[in-house]
Amino acid sequence: MYLADEAWPDLETYFEEESLALVPLGSTEQHGPHLPEGTDHLIAEAFAREVADRTGYLCTPTVNIGVSPHHRQFWGTMWVDAPVFRDYVESLARNLTYHGIDRIVFVNAHGGNVQHLREVGRRLRDAGDAYAVEWMWDDAIPDLVDDLFEQNGPHGGPKETAMIQYLHEELVHEDRLDDAKEGGVPSVAATGNVRHGSRTFYDAIDNTDNGVLGDQTDATAEKGEQLFDAASDQLEQLCEWLANQEFEALLPKEHV
């Protein structure tokens, strides 16, 4: 069920009977010369709406702009400051708790959001208002990602390329895949910017002139479909597990 498509009287039964909501989040930022700036939020929304259709759980509208200042040197990248993002997402989540939701899955497709969504989840849990977890699609299927791609990225690499080829092929500049590979770098390790255990870079452009890593020419829509189906299965299982938990068991334990 997609919240924004429903009239309010038709949502009452859901909020009376169910306690779980899916909240898709991504970013609007550069993904190299070949992918749209909406790559992350397009992927997040696709997963959330797919699993909402499968399960009947509620899916909210997508948070399209995330914590992306590390891509700011590339044209069109948009971002909000981390404290603003955390407060916004927490406020959005509390909208849901007002209507009776007490467990939330943040369906996330942007690495820059991860730590901030974890912090929001902690705030909500510590307050006893909701149990919210962050879910990242490629973290759900790491073995498959590794099996499909020799150089999988992470950013703007073949896994994201394959996903957008499958979900929105019309947005992929297929004629730029070679340029993306040749103008980028194979991996973060290959940049030489991890020194003595420290990540000595802050921005994407410190690592790659065109904003991407990995071998984009290794991507296909067929691989994207494999990734999408496998990760959707994992998200569906997470939702069912979470919906079946006693809420009290999800809250912080008492002090020893």
Side-chain angles (χ1 to χ4, degrees):
M1 177 185 292
Y2 183 58
L3 185 151
D5 286 346
E6 303 295 325
W8 72 262
D10 303 317
L11 288 165
E12 180 179 3
T13 300
Y14 184 87
F15 286 113
E16 287 181 343
E17 296 179 355
E18 299 289 352
S19 58
L20 186 144
L22 296 146
V23 178
L25 307 98
S27 68
T28 300
E29 65 182 27
Q30 73 85 15
H31 275 77
H34 63 300
L35 291 180
E37 301 224 346
T39 290
D40 288 344
H41 72 246
L42 292 170
I43 291 172
E45 182 168 334
F47 278 120
R49 296 192 69 162
E50 169 69 17
V51 172
D53 287 345
R54 290 187 186 187
T55 62
Y57 292 127
L58 189 71
C59 173
T60 73
T62 304
V63 177
N64 290 341
I65 298 174
V67 183
S68 303
H70 50 297
H71 293 290
R72 68 190 186 278
Q73 290 92 345
F74 295 92
W75 296 111
T77 291
M78 304 185 73
W79 71 93
V80 294
D81 291 335
V84 175
F85 177 81
R86 291 193 294 266
D87 288 348
Y88 178 87
V89 175
E90 181 180 358
S91 181
L92 186 158
R94 292 190 187 283
N95 294 176
L96 294 169
T97 66
Y98 175 83
H99 294 296
I101 296 296
D102 63 14
R103 53 208 81 186
I104 299 167
V105 179
F106 293 131
V107 181
N108 179 41
H110 173 49
N113 294 341
V114 172
Q115 62 182 313
H116 309 294
L117 295 173
R118 291 283 298 171
E119 170 60 23
V120 171
R122 176 174 287 280
R123 292 182 190 178
L124 295 167
R125 180 175 181 260
D126 286 352
D129 295 330
Y131 184 83
V133 291
E134 182 269 343
W135 180 86
M136 186 83 172
W137 70 271
D138 52 332
D139 287 342
I141 51 169
D143 291 341
L144 179 59
V145 171
D146 286 342
D147 287 345
L148 289 179
F149 309 111
E150 185 175 347
Q151 297 175 358
N152 57 41
H155 184 74
K159 61 187 177 185
E160 290 184 321
T161 302
M163 193 69 75
I164 298 298
Q165 285 173 323
Y166 172 61
L167 296 172
H168 296 281
E169 63 177 349
E170 74 282 3
L171 299 180
V172 180
H173 296 273
E174 295 284 349
D175 59 331
R176 300 178 185 172
L177 295 184
D178 286 327
D179 290 342
K181 177 184 177 182
E182 292 168 9
V185 290
S187 65
V188 173
T191 68
N193 286 334
V194 178
R195 296 181 174 90
H196 313 293
S198 176
R199 292 161 61 94
T200 62
F201 59 93
Y202 281 92
D203 295 334
I205 203 167
D206 297 337
N207 288 329
T208 164
D209 291 340
N210 70 357
V212 294
L213 304 93
D215 181 0
Q216 293 75 18
T217 65
D218 197 21
T220 65
E222 291 72 22
K223 290 181 179 181
E225 183 176 14
Q226 284 184 261
L227 296 169
F228 186 77
D229 289 345
S232 294
D233 289 345
Q234 291 298 309
L235 179 57
E236 181 180 1
Q237 292 176 53
L238 173 64
C239 290
E240 298 294 4
W241 171 84
L242 186 55
N244 289 328
Q245 302 308 300
E246 293 292 335
F247 182 64
E248 292 72 19
L250 298 171
L251 295 178
K253 302 294 187 290
E254 296 292 332
H255 193 294
V256 294

